[in-house]
Amino acid sequence: MKVAVVGKGNVGGGLADRWERAGHEVTRIGKDGGDVSDADVVLLAVPGSAVAEAFETVGGWDGKTVIDATNLVGAEPPAGFSSNTEFVKSKTNGPTAKAFNLNFARLYDQIDQAGSPPSNLWSGDEEARDAVEQLNRDAGYEPVCAGGMDKTAVQEQGIALIFAVSQASGPFFYRMAPPEEL
Ligand SMILES: NC(=O)c1ccc[n+]([C@@H]2O[C@H](COP(=O)([O-])OP(=O)(O)OC[C@H]3O[C@@H](n4cnc5c(N)ncnc54)[C@H](OP(=O)(O)O)[C@@H]3O)[C@@H](O)[C@H]2O)c1
């Protein structure tokens, strides 16, 4: 796949490295801006409060499949939207999903040592499923669907629990699976 990462820091840069190793062609875009019109899938990994700005500095979003990895830490989604993901969808009108926001970039280089693939929650449009699940597996995660676009706000707010557990017990992988698989 041709993937564009908007935000090339811990998350965007880290996933870009893993996807390149899996054979994808990745373009990395930072604050200087760029264009995503050539991409099959776009990962949005900018600070949660900079999402609206990213649509000004980066062009070519129309109809794109976008995976939104942002978290809102001490900030609200843009006015009128219950999640950053819903805002993204309003700008692109393409298949949109929330994913990669509920795991730790600092553990990306330990994914391959895990006994079985760590889980990674995603939610959003059914039309985004194939791309989201493929890019999860190619990053080393097992995707777990949390529902449709109406669940993206819940997933975004889930970062509060992830932070709480991390502060109490350190960074972690999680694994969600039917009972017979654990
Ligand atoms: N760190 C984690 O473990 C983790 C895990 C899950 C989700 N998240 C979320 O993922 C997002 C990124 O986190 P991070 O840790 O990767 O942050 P980071 O290392 O600070 O990287 C942020 C990136 O966003 C770029 N950027 C900022 N404003 C931009 C704009 N207007 N247009 C295009 N690019 C812009 C920066 O560009 P330059 O390179 O040009 O400065 C930088 O590459 C945040 O929303 C965070 O809450 C983080």
Side-chain angles (χ1 to χ4, degrees):
M1 267 188 259
K2 284 185 176 175
V3 183
V5 297
V6 175
K8 50 183 180 173
N10 300 306
V11 173
L15 290 174
D17 290 345
R18 296 189 68 78
W19 288 331
E20 277 174 351
R21 264 180 257 142
H24 297 290
E25 192 182 314
V26 184
T27 304
R28 303 172 193 228
I29 295 172
K31 269 195 207 91
D32 293 345
D35 190 281
V36 296
S37 51
D38 201 32
D40 301 311
V41 181
V42 185
L43 175 82
L44 182 60
V46 299
S49 55
V51 169
E53 194 187 311
F55 279 90
E56 288 165 21
T57 49
V58 178
W61 293 95
D62 267 6
K64 287 291 159 192
T65 297
V66 179
I67 302 175
D68 167 28
T70 63
N71 281 315
L72 283 158
V73 182
E76 297 292 320
F81 298 92
S82 58
S83 70
N84 269 352
T85 317
E86 290 181 14
F87 172 76
V88 168
K89 171 109 188 162
S90 78
K91 302 297 271 185
T92 63
N93 253 321
T96 311
K98 188 97 197 166
F100 299 104
N101 71 312
L102 298 181
N103 42 50
F104 298 89
R106 77 181 100 151
L107 297 184
Y108 288 162
D109 62 1
Q110 295 178 52
I111 294 174
D112 298 333
Q113 282 79 57
S116 55
S119 297
N120 189 16
L121 286 162
W122 77 274
S123 51
D125 291 331
E126 193 55 36
E127 296 76 16
R129 179 184 290 270
D130 287 352
V132 171
E133 296 199 338
Q134 181 72 51
L135 288 173
N136 261 279
R137 294 198 172 98
D138 291 344
Y141 292 107
E142 186 57 35
V144 177
C145 184
M149 187 58 64
D150 60 325
K151 296 297 186 296
T152 58
V154 172
Q155 177 162 339
E156 212 162 88
Q157 290 150 16
I159 191 60
L161 178 61
I162 298 290
F163 274 170
V165 177
S166 164
Q167 275 160 14
S169 308
F172 58 92
F173 290 128
Y174 52 86
R175 174 117 177 95
M176 295 170 163
E180 64 278 11
E181 282 183 24
L182 288 177

